[in-house]
Amino acid sequence: MSKQDGWCIMCHLQIKYDSSTDICINIKDVFIRGNGMNLAKRFETIIHILNYMYAEVIKTFIDHIRIIIKQCQDYNYINRDVKNFIEGKAHETYQNIKKKNSLIVYDNQPKFLLKENLKQYEAQQYKNMDLSHFLSDCLNEYYAETSKYLYKNLGFEKVLEFKKKGNFRIPIESNINQNKGINLINTITKESGWVSLKHINVEFNDQIISGDRILRDPVNKLNFHCKRLHIIRLIKCIYTEVIFKYNKYVCDILNLCGSDYTYFNLVRQFFDTIHKTDKMLDIMIRTLVSLNTLIGEYDHDSSHSNIKGLYSLITHLSKEIKFGNYSLDDLDSKSDVSKKEIARSYIKKFSDFRSKIFDNRLKVFHKKQCPSQNILSNIVIHEFPFLKNTDSVDNTRFTELMIEEIVLSFCNQLIEFSENVIKSFYEDLGLNKLN
């Protein structure tokens, strides 16, 4: 370790030889043989030095975050799981470490990092970046340097890599290939579709997750954990919104098909349509599985908001469409009355399934994902003027011809909607590269 050049950046530190004397030595002297220090004393001194430096890392974090918080007054709630942390645990931790590692009595290198960053921001007038974003980028650079100088360049990386071959084990997520995940995220976020998601803000666990935040900088080993969870959360939110809109279409069509004017061909049109939209559901299912496998997810949140829960909801719908036995082809030989009754029974069966699966679970899912802006604002959903902003269709006002016209239009729109979803939220986002 003493041969690593990382120790040179701490040559400004003066360390007390011991607590009973005022004699001070330099970090370089700690490694010199014959300085009167035994091995245990050298290790103790090195630990004090590292704790002191790591405490400064915490202090730099506090200094920057304090200014960032002042720029975030619009986020009052967040301002309060962050300000309490800064003024409480973080400040307390910093003071405790400084108190317990008091052998370092003088540091002749002034700490003007925050002042220098603020001066740089004012001097260069970053018109396209607010102060909080600028300081966040400064912190990213600072911690990248910290990882290099206070970990890698001190020899710890080599020590730990060597220890991995023995009994020492680093806690890792064994089911995730991190390098593969990093490359994958960096590849898909280069696709054109992500730009259209920059305006989206999703609230989750007291965080604001946005498309802009995901795209702000490339994925690396330092931010991989956050980036992958943000991407997963955003995609789940989008897919939940897709199913929510899909359900609205289906619900309106079912209300019309279940009217007194129900015709066999009208019901056939509906089931032909949902079979065509099943491609969208299959793609969403495969994507959720791939995200879980290739990027991974911590299932610390409830079943209503993790990948498995959303996967289960969409899978139930897809299975019902595929295997619910809604084929009308073998009924052509029956009388019109018989076909009409069977068609109505199919509509009731599918309607009961939709109500059971979606009415409660989907509302909970939609609330859990909690998008703060309209996720599907770039996909136009057409509605007839007299159906707009209604929870259900009052079909008693319409003639048979109007009902046929509306159902046909809604079915075409539902197919168009599913095709737009596949393009906008699968192909244009590069998610097809997951499968």
Side-chain angles (χ1 to χ4, degrees):
M1 288 172 57
S2 65
K3 295 179 181 180
Q4 302 294 321
D5 58 7
W7 299 99
C8 295
I9 68 167
M10 292 181 279
C11 288
H12 57 280
L13 297 179
Q14 296 293 317
I15 307 106
K16 271 190 175 183
Y17 188 80
D18 59 51
S19 56
S20 62
T21 179
D22 291 333
I23 299 175
C24 295
I25 61 174
N26 191 273
I27 180 63
K28 292 188 294 186
D29 300 329
V30 175
F31 294 107
I32 297 176
R33 294 186 179 182
N35 62 1
M37 280 188 174
N38 58 31
L39 185 61
K41 183 63 177 177
R42 289 186 188 183
F43 273 110
E44 180 186 358
T45 306
I46 290 172
I47 291 172
H48 276 287
I49 292 169
L50 291 176
N51 281 336
Y52 177 85
M53 295 300 292
Y54 291 159
E56 290 304 314
V57 171
I58 295 175
K59 180 62 164 57
T60 301
F61 178 78
I62 293 173
D63 289 343
H64 282 74
I65 291 295
R66 184 177 285 114
I67 301 299
I68 292 173
I69 286 180
K70 291 180 181 178
Q71 301 295 310
C72 299
Q73 295 301 322
D74 291 338
Y75 303 104
N76 290 325
Y77 183 74
I78 298 176
N79 194 8
R80 284 197 297 271
D81 297 347
V82 179
K83 189 172 182 179
N84 288 340
F85 170 75
I86 294 300
E87 302 299 337
K89 290 293 183 182
H91 185 71
E92 179 184 337
T93 301
Y94 170 73
Q95 295 294 339
N96 287 339
I97 293 178
K98 295 292 259 188
K99 183 177 180 180
K100 291 180 181 179
N101 297 274
S102 56
L103 288 182
I104 297 177
V105 293
Y106 179 65
D107 181 357
N108 61 13
Q109 178 172 296
K111 303 176 185 64
F112 292 144
L113 185 58
L114 177 59
K115 292 182 180 178
E116 291 298 322
N117 289 339
L118 291 173
K119 187 185 298 183
Q120 181 184 0
Y121 180 80
E122 294 175 0
Q124 299 192 19
Q125 295 181 345
Y126 289 87
K127 296 180 180 179
N128 296 326
M129 181 182 293
D130 64 35
L131 180 59
S132 61
H133 286 170
F134 175 77
L135 290 181
S136 295
D137 290 342
C138 290
L139 274 180
N140 283 336
E141 293 179 10
Y142 173 72
Y143 281 105
E145 291 181 359
T146 297
S147 299
K148 177 181 177 182
Y149 293 125
L150 294 185
Y151 175 70
K152 184 176 181 179
N153 284 10
L154 298 184
F156 287 111
E157 185 177 56
K158 292 183 178 179
V159 171
L160 292 178
E161 285 297 319
F162 174 79
K163 288 289 187 180
K164 280 170 65 177
K165 299 176 182 179
N167 295 325
F168 184 85
R169 293 185 179 181
I170 299 175
I172 59 173
E173 298 165 63
S174 57
N175 63 323
I176 298 170
N177 185 324
Q178 190 178 72
N179 289 332
K180 186 176 181 181
I182 290 173
N183 292 333
L184 177 70
I185 294 176
N186 282 329
T187 298
I188 65 176
T189 51
K190 290 178 182 177
E191 297 293 329
S192 60
W194 289 93
V195 177
S196 66
L197 304 184
K198 294 180 74 171
H199 69 283
I200 295 174
N201 291 314
V202 179
E203 299 174 15
F204 177 71
N205 277 1
D206 300 329
Q207 296 184 63
I208 301 295
I209 300 171
S210 66
D212 184 57
R213 185 173 177 181
I214 291 172
L215 298 175
R216 188 179 302 158
D217 44 43
V219 182
N220 53 47
K221 289 184 178 180
L222 295 178
N223 62 23
F224 172 67
H225 171 70
C226 289
K227 291 279 187 179
R228 66 183 180 137
L229 292 185
H230 289 176
I231 286 177
I232 288 173
R233 180 57 50 186
L234 190 64
I235 296 302
K236 285 190 294 184
C237 183
I238 290 172
Y239 282 7
T240 301
E241 190 79 5
V242 166
I243 295 299
F244 193 80
K245 300 293 185 184
Y246 180 91
N247 183 58
K248 178 65 168 63
Y249 269 125
V250 170
C251 186
D252 283 345
I253 298 173
L254 283 172
N255 285 336
L256 287 166
C257 289
S259 70
D260 291 337
Y261 302 109
T262 296
Y263 284 92
F264 177 75
N265 289 336
L266 198 100
V267 176
R268 183 196 293 277
Q269 176 72 33
F270 168 70
F271 284 111
D272 284 346
T273 297
I274 64 166
H275 278 286
K276 289 178 181 178
T277 61
D278 191 47
K279 179 183 177 181
M280 177 190 75
L281 302 178
D282 283 340
I283 283 175
M284 293 168 71
I285 291 170
R286 292 203 310 270
T287 302
L288 291 174
V289 171
S290 298
L291 282 173
N292 190 60
T293 302
L294 297 178
I295 301 181
E297 178 189 37
Y298 289 102
D299 291 326
H300 59 82
D301 48 3
S302 74
S303 61
H304 293 300
S305 57
N306 60 34
I307 276 186
K308 294 177 182 177
L310 183 56
Y311 167 86
S312 174
L313 188 70
I314 300 175
T315 301
H316 270 82
L317 176 59
S318 182
K319 286 183 177 178
E320 183 67 16
I321 292 173
K322 286 185 175 76
F323 309 115
N325 192 22
Y326 296 108
S327 174
L328 301 173
D329 293 338
D330 57 345
L331 303 180
D332 289 336
S333 61
K334 295 184 178 296
S335 66
D336 288 343
V337 175
S338 297
K339 287 194 293 186
K340 188 174 182 179
E341 290 304 315
I342 294 174
R344 280 181 174 173
S345 69
Y346 281 8
I347 287 292
K348 185 178 186 309
K349 177 186 174 185
F350 191 82
S351 182
D352 289 345
F353 165 81
R354 187 212 60 80
S355 177
K356 179 180 178 182
I357 295 297
F358 284 89
D359 279 355
N360 293 323
R361 292 185 65 191
L362 187 57
K363 288 179 182 178
V364 176
F365 263 96
H366 197 252
K367 184 178 179 181
K368 276 283 183 182
Q369 303 306 327
C370 199
S372 60
Q373 293 191 25
N374 185 6
I375 289 293
L376 300 183
S377 59
N378 57 331
I379 292 186
V380 178
I381 299 179
H382 304 284
E383 294 188 24
F384 285 91
F386 43 79
L387 297 181
K388 196 170 184 179
N389 298 323
T390 58
D391 293 330
S392 61
V393 178
D394 182 8
N395 52 57
T396 59
R397 297 181 295 153
F398 307 131
T399 65
E400 298 173 16
L401 184 61
M402 289 176 66
I403 290 177
E404 286 190 62
E405 178 189 351
I406 294 171
V407 169
L408 179 61
S409 177
F410 267 37
C411 285
N412 289 335
Q413 289 175 35
L414 185 55
I415 293 172
E416 181 184 358
F417 172 79
S418 67
E419 291 173 348
N420 285 338
V421 167
I422 292 172
K423 184 176 187 310
S424 298
F425 301 122
Y426 180 66
E427 295 172 355
D428 290 352
L429 297 182
L431 298 179
N432 52 334
K433 296 178 180 179
L434 296 177
N435 300 316

